[in-house]
């Protein structure tokens, strides 16, 4: 085969790859800029739970316990805190281990429950 033909084919392939790469990068940059603009326009505070799903309950920590559930070969730890409200109602919630370590019997404060899950606990200051 003629070396001139090979050179023309190689040049065509090289230019095609460069054009494709340019358009691909350009399209990706435009999409990313559009996504960033949409994020900048979003003024909602996603770190705070929806007010209609939130409950704020004055409670006292009555008891806490942890354990292990076994299902077949799988085991799962659970951490439970039992609260008593001002109206002497007992509430029991499973909480993450990191949150469990912060509770002590006798603590009083405000429990924040969002959609049936403990979101936070603010200890009353004496």
């Amino acid at each position: 085969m003629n070396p001139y033909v090979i050179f023309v084919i190689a040049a065509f392939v090289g230019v095609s790859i460069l054009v494709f790469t340019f358009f691909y990068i350009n399209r990706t940059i435009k999409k990313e800029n559009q996504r960033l603009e949409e994020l900048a326009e979003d003024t909602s505070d996603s770190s705070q739970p929806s007010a209609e799903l939130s409950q704020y309950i004055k409670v006292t920590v009555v008891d806490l316990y942890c354990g292990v559930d076994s299902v077949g070969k799988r085991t799962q730890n659970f951490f439970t805190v039992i609260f008593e409200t001002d109206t002497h109602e007992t509430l029991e919630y499973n909480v993450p281990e990191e949150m469990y370590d912060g509770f002590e019997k006798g603590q009083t404060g405000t429990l924040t429950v969002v959609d049936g899950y403990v979101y936070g606990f603010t200890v009353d200051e004496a």
Side-chain angles (χ1 to χ4, degrees):
M1 188 177 251
N2 187 350
Y4 179 74
V5 172
I6 293 173
F7 175 75
V8 169
I9 292 172
F12 178 75
V13 169
V15 169
S16 298
I17 290 173
L18 287 174
V19 168
F20 174 78
T21 302
F22 171 77
F23 282 112
Y24 179 78
I25 290 173
N26 191 29
R27 191 182 98 215
T28 303
I29 289 172
K30 282 182 181 179
K31 282 187 175 184
E32 184 65 17
N33 286 339
Q34 182 180 9
R35 187 183 72 82
L36 291 174
E37 286 175 10
E38 289 171 1
L39 283 176
E41 291 172 1
D42 184 15
T43 58
S44 67
D45 187 4
S46 62
S47 67
Q48 295 298 320
S50 172
E52 57 268 2
L53 298 177
S54 301
Q55 291 179 301
Y56 302 96
I57 309 164
K58 294 290 284 178
V59 295
T60 300
V61 177
V62 176
D63 197 10
L64 6 100
Y65 63 92
C66 57
V68 177
D69 281 335
S70 295
V71 179
K73 294 180 182 179
R74 267 186 49 187
T75 61
Q76 182 175 354
N77 297 334
F78 65 90
F79 303 90
T80 304
V81 182
I82 301 173
F83 303 95
E84 186 177 297
T85 66
D86 291 342
T87 60
H88 303 292
E89 180 183 354
T90 301
L91 305 173
E92 186 171 322
Y93 289 103
N94 287 333
V95 297
E97 181 177 6
E98 298 80 22
M99 189 179 285
Y100 178 82
D101 292 334
F103 289 105
E104 294 177 12
K105 286 183 185 179
Q107 281 180 325
T108 59
T110 303
L111 182 68
T112 305
V113 178
V114 178
D115 199 22
Y117 295 97
V118 174
Y119 184 79
F121 181 70
T122 306
V123 178
D124 287 343
E125 295 191 25

